[in-house]
Coordinates of all heavy atoms in Angstrom, one line a residue:
N65 N 91.8 -33.3 -147.8 CA 93.0 -34.1 -147.7 C 92.9 -35.0 -146.4 O 93.0 -34.6 -145.3 CB 94.2 -33.1 -147.5 CG 95.5 -33.9 -147.4 OD1 95.6 -35.0 -147.9 ND2 96.5 -33.4 -146.7
C66 N 92.7 -36.3 -146.8 CA 92.6 -37.3 -145.7 C 93.9 -38.1 -145.7 O 94.0 -39.1 -144.9 CB 91.4 -38.2 -146.0 SG 89.8 -37.4 -146.1
A67 N 94.9 -37.8 -146.6 CA 96.1 -38.5 -146.6 C 96.9 -38.2 -145.4 O 97.1 -37.1 -145.0 CB 96.9 -38.1 -147.9
G68 N 97.5 -39.3 -144.8 CA 98.3 -39.1 -143.6 C 98.7 -40.5 -143.1 O 98.2 -41.5 -143.6
T69 N 99.6 -40.5 -142.1 CA 100.0 -41.8 -141.6 C 100.2 -41.6 -140.1 O 100.6 -40.6 -139.6 CB 101.3 -42.3 -142.2 OG1 101.6 -43.6 -141.7 CG2 102.5 -41.4 -142.0
T70 N 99.9 -42.7 -139.4 CA 100.1 -42.7 -137.9 C 101.4 -43.5 -137.5 O 101.7 -43.5 -136.3 CB 98.9 -43.3 -137.2 OG1 98.7 -44.6 -137.6 CG2 97.7 -42.5 -137.5
G71 N 101.9 -44.3 -138.5 CA 103.0 -45.1 -138.2 C 104.2 -44.9 -139.1 O 104.2 -44.1 -140.0
G72 N 105.3 -45.5 -138.7 CA 106.6 -45.4 -139.5 C 107.6 -44.6 -138.7 O 107.3 -44.1 -137.6
D73 N 108.8 -44.4 -139.3 CA 109.8 -43.6 -138.6 C 109.6 -42.1 -138.8 O 108.6 -41.7 -139.5 CB 111.2 -44.0 -139.1 CG 111.4 -43.9 -140.6 OD1 110.6 -43.1 -141.2 OD2 112.3 -44.5 -141.2
A74 N 110.5 -41.4 -138.2 CA 110.3 -39.9 -138.2 C 110.3 -39.4 -139.6 O 109.6 -38.4 -140.0 CB 111.4 -39.2 -137.4
V75 N 111.1 -39.9 -140.5 CA 111.2 -39.5 -141.9 C 109.9 -39.7 -142.6 O 109.3 -38.8 -143.3 CB 112.4 -40.1 -142.6 CG1 112.3 -39.8 -144.1 CG2 113.7 -39.7 -142.0
T76 N 109.3 -40.9 -142.5 CA 108.1 -41.2 -143.1 C 106.9 -40.3 -142.6 O 106.1 -39.8 -143.4 CB 107.7 -42.7 -142.9 OG1 108.7 -43.5 -143.4 CG2 106.4 -43.1 -143.5

Side-chain angles (χ1 to χ4, degrees):
N65 182 28
C66 304
T69 185
T70 60
D73 59 20
V75 173
T76 300

